[in-house]
Amino acid sequence: MQLMLRDGSTGPFLTQVINKAVAAEQLSAAQLQQIKSKAVLMSLKFADKFYNKYKMHLLEQAAHDVIGVVSLGLLELTDKDPQRALALLLAPEGLVKPFQKGWSMLSTVSRPAGAKSLYGDVDEQLLQQLSSPPDAEDWAGWQYYQQALTEHRRSQSMQLLQQQFYARSHFDEFEHFSLEEVLAEVVFYRALTGGDKVRQDLKKRLHTITLQPHWFNETFFTLQTEATLAELPKANADAIRQDLGQHFVPALLRTLNFAKEYQTLAKQDASPEKLDAFEGKQGLTNPLLGWPQYLEL
């Protein structure tokens, strides 16, 4: 298993660290051989567990996988610092600690799939995106991991919003299609009800809710949104903020203005058909954000 064949300044991080250390004479021949020997042993074990260590092309694939996973773990453990990474490689555990860290990171962000992954808890496609020959000119493994991490936090945040702010425990996976929609329903419902947990009763409760004049401005909904996010872990709150479009708050304000007209019609004893028609027309011409989509039975 060759660990370095060219400069690799943008290749896998493991190769970068070794090449820089060799160029700066910070790595002796004996130390380099020790790292290589450990890498070969880990590749053999990886191939034996997931592939076939007696087939050369699969052993080579295992080596590329190990390079990718170790590079990911090294980047995380050392905050992308080559000197700290070199110290880790020269420590008694050598490649083992960064490999374990990288594998744990991949396991955390891997989404459950219908078919079981060849790699257990690690998504097969994600590992393939990180896998790299040592002499690759470019390695985008860190970027692929960041994309997977963002998606993981987005999915986790949606679950947290539902668990923390909804009164019910069962959710239809087709009820909400985006994180923004879930947050909008939470913010809008809590704003109108004084912080109650979300139930499927807003249209009915609107009959008795007094819409306050100071609610009808973007600042109000900005503060309501931040108050909701403040109740979540920082990483998840940050993931939600990144997901929100610039029209999130204006859309909530527009929905409140619609709710005011809807309330007026409802208090005039408008028929369910008329209310549905009014709601449908508004939803088609200017989609409502935060407005309940459930049916009144």
Side-chain angles (χ1 to χ4, degrees), residues 30-279:
Q31 290 172 321
L32 178 59
Q33 185 57 45
Q34 184 178 14
I35 294 174
K36 287 184 176 181
S37 297
K38 177 69 74 172
V40 170
L41 180 60
M42 290 178 66
S43 299
L44 282 168
K45 289 184 177 180
F46 194 92
D48 189 40
K49 183 171 183 177
F50 298 115
Y51 301 132
N52 184 332
K53 66 180 180 180
Y54 300 107
K55 294 187 177 182
M56 184 56 65
H57 72 286
L58 294 178
L59 182 56
E60 185 178 43
Q61 180 61 54
H64 296 175
D65 295 341
V66 168
I67 289 171
V69 176
V70 169
S71 294
L72 179 67
L74 276 177
L75 283 165
E76 180 70 13
L77 288 171
T78 66
D79 196 25
K80 305 181 181 181
D81 185 336
Q83 289 302 313
R84 290 171 58 188
L86 178 62
L88 269 182
L89 294 178
L90 294 177
E93 288 183 301
L95 297 168
V96 175
K97 186 174 181 179
F99 179 87
Q100 291 175 336
K101 179 63 177 179
W103 194 258
S104 174
M105 292 164 68
L106 294 178
S107 298
T108 298
V109 302
S110 292
R111 292 181 296 176
K116 186 171 177 63
S117 169
L118 171 66
Y119 309 102
D121 294 334
V122 171
D123 180 77
E124 187 169 344
Q125 181 180 1
L126 182 57
L127 181 59
Q128 290 172 354
Q129 290 171 330
L130 264 75
S131 183
S132 173
D135 59 336
E137 293 185 358
D138 296 297
W139 181 72
W142 180 256
Q143 288 82 355
Y144 282 120
Y145 167 74
Q146 290 299 319
Q147 292 172 10
L149 179 61
T150 297
E151 184 57 38
H152 166 71
R153 285 177 174 164
R154 185 179 291 125
S155 176
Q156 185 185 57
S157 297
M158 186 179 293
Q159 294 175 6
L160 282 174
L161 286 170
Q162 291 173 336
Q163 292 169 3
Q164 188 156 337
F165 298 112
Y166 284 73
R168 55 199 164 113
S169 57
H170 175 73
F171 298 94
D172 184 344
E173 60 178 312
F174 297 109
E175 185 175 353
H176 295 106
F177 294 98
S178 72
L179 178 58
E180 188 176 71
E181 288 178 340
V182 178
L183 179 65
E185 184 175 26
V186 171
V187 171
F188 195 75
Y189 191 97
R190 282 160 52 93
L192 267 61
T193 63
D196 290 355
K197 289 202 170 187
V198 179
R199 300 177 185 273
Q200 294 188 331
D201 63 354
L202 184 59
K203 294 178 184 178
K204 186 180 296 182
R205 290 188 66 171
L206 197 57
H207 288 263
T208 58
I209 293 174
T210 301
L211 302 177
Q212 302 296 329
H214 71 275
W215 295 356
F216 290 83
N217 63 81
E218 293 187 8
T219 301
F220 173 73
F221 280 110
T222 298
L223 293 174
Q224 290 290 321
T225 301
E226 286 303 317
T228 298
L229 295 178
E231 297 187 36
L232 299 176
K234 184 180 184 301
N236 296 105
D238 290 342
I240 294 175
R241 288 188 183 94
Q242 293 176 12
D243 198 64
L244 298 182
Q246 61 179 335
H247 302 298
F248 180 77
V249 169
L252 288 176
L253 179 56
R254 184 169 60 248
T255 302
L256 181 62
N257 281 296
F258 161 80
K260 182 179 180 181
E261 296 181 54
Y262 186 94
Q263 183 188 64
T264 300
L265 279 177
K267 288 183 176 180
Q268 293 172 353
D269 294 325
S271 66
E273 292 78 13
K274 186 172 183 179
L275 289 172
D276 287 345
F278 176 66
E279 179 181 340

Side-chain angles (χ1 to χ4, degrees), residues 3-4 13-23 27 32 35-36 86 89 95:
L3 281 178
M4 49 177 195
F13 188 59
L14 174 61
T15 302
Q16 293 183 45
V17 172
I18 291 176
N19 286 344
K20 288 179 180 178
V22 170
L27 195 62
L32 178 59
I35 294 174
K36 287 184 176 181
L86 178 62
L89 294 178
L95 297 168

